């Protein structure tokens, strides 16, 4: 499933035009990306939370050569699914 | 940002739609992602990331309150892997 399929769901279920449905899916992702890139967590009730974590600098190793390389401090994004989604998926 | 704030932003983008309509659109989008995952599928959103599920083996857990052992069945859990573009965007100052 991709953006196009999500746009199709909006088109069929809500009745917006295909073009408008595609645009709104794009804007949903845009606003989420934007908030996250500004350092803001995103919480969608019933779905889950996108949580930013700041990782400290550490020494890593190239697994192929065994050479130690410093890994710079960085920000990573994690997703914690809501209990609702977890239950839905666990049941299949 | 919480869901209602997302709805408010989308309503600003789309003045010809009501907040109620936008709310339905947002629900439809997130519900269909959950549905796809519960059917064992994946949702790939370029530039953002990919939602998939991963399997967890059955295990013997413990009730943290009573210490009693309980069998936990094998199950699938949701997983999200941020896309490359997203990861890079988080790290530009």
């Amino acid at each position: 499933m991709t953006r196009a399929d999500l746009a199709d769901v909006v088109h069929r279920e809500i009745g917006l035009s295909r073009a408008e449905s595609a645009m709104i899916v794009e804007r949903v992702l845009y606003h989420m990306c934007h908030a996250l890139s500004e350092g803001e967590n995103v919480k969608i009730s019933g779905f889950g939370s996108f949580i930013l974590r700041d990782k400290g600098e550490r020494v890593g190793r190239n697994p192929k050569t065994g050479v130690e390389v410093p890994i710079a401090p960085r920000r990573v994004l994690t997703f914690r699914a809501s209990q609702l989604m977890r239950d839905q998926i666990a049941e299949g | 940002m919480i869901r209602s704030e997302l709805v408010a932003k989308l309503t600003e983008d789309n003045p010809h739609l009501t907040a109620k309509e936008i709310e339905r659109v947002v629900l439809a989008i997130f519900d269909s992602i959950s549905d796809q995952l519960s059917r064992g599928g994946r949702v790939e959103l370029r530039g953002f990331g990919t939602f998939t599920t991963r399997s967890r083996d059955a295990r013997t857990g413990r009730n943290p309150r009573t210490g009693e052992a309980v069998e936990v069945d094998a199950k699938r859990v949701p997983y999200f892997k941020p896309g490359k573009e997203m990861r890079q965007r988080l790290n530009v100052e």
Side-chain angles (χ1 to χ4, degrees):
Chain A
M1 188 177 216
T2 63
R3 280 171 162 72
D5 301 300
L6 291 178
D8 199 51
V9 168
V10 173
H11 169 65
R12 282 186 285 109
E13 289 187 12
I14 317 293
L16 301 185
S17 74
R18 285 184 189 280
E20 197 166 31
S21 301
M23 187 275 286
I24 207 159
V25 167
E26 211 51 58
R27 292 302 284 176
V28 167
L29 295 174
Y30 167 84
H31 287 302
M32 292 172 72
C33 282
H34 184 76
L36 292 165
S37 68
E38 299 278 291
E40 216 185 316
N41 291 340
V42 174
K43 272 188 185 178
I44 306 294
S45 58
F47 184 77
S49 302
F50 296 88
I51 298 157
L52 297 164
R53 290 180 191 282
D54 288 308
K55 299 280 191 180
E57 185 173 5
R58 66 186 169 90
V59 179
R61 206 178 271 280
N62 179 327
K64 213 173 278 177
T65 63
V67 176
E68 283 191 354
V69 281
I71 297 179
R74 68 206 193 284
R75 182 170 281 175
V76 297
L77 174 60
T78 59
F79 174 67
R80 185 171 158 76
S82 70
Q83 194 59 48
L84 193 73
M85 194 205 279
R86 287 164 184 272
D87 291 345
Q88 198 184 334
I89 288 171
E91 284 162 20
Chain B
M1 182 170 76
I2 61 173
R3 197 174 68 183
S4 59
E5 292 167 333
L6 174 62
V7 169
K9 288 192 160 90
L10 293 164
T11 309
E12 273 176 45
D13 292 345
N14 297 276
H16 57 295
L17 297 176
T18 64
K20 210 166 187 175
E21 287 171 307
I22 300 278
E23 180 75 46
R24 288 176 57 215
V25 169
V26 168
L27 257 177
I29 292 172
F30 289 111
D31 281 354
S32 67
I33 296 174
S34 303
D35 288 348
Q36 175 73 1
L37 294 176
S38 66
R39 286 193 298 265
R42 57 191 263 133
V43 182
E44 191 174 333
L45 302 168
R46 281 283 157 86
F48 185 69
T50 304
F51 294 93
T52 52
T53 57
R54 293 186 160 187
S55 56
R56 292 279 177 269
D57 289 339
R59 62 187 171 87
T60 305
R62 250 171 223 292
N63 178 329
R65 198 170 301 168
T66 62
E68 197 183 344
V70 278
E71 294 308 317
V72 182
D73 291 340
K75 63 178 176 189
R76 298 200 73 81
V77 295
Y79 179 74
F80 173 73
K81 183 177 162 66
K84 196 174 181 184
E85 242 177 86
M86 186 76 241
R87 291 202 303 268
Q88 285 169 348
R89 261 190 89 175
L90 298 177
N91 288 288
V92 287
E93 285 316 313

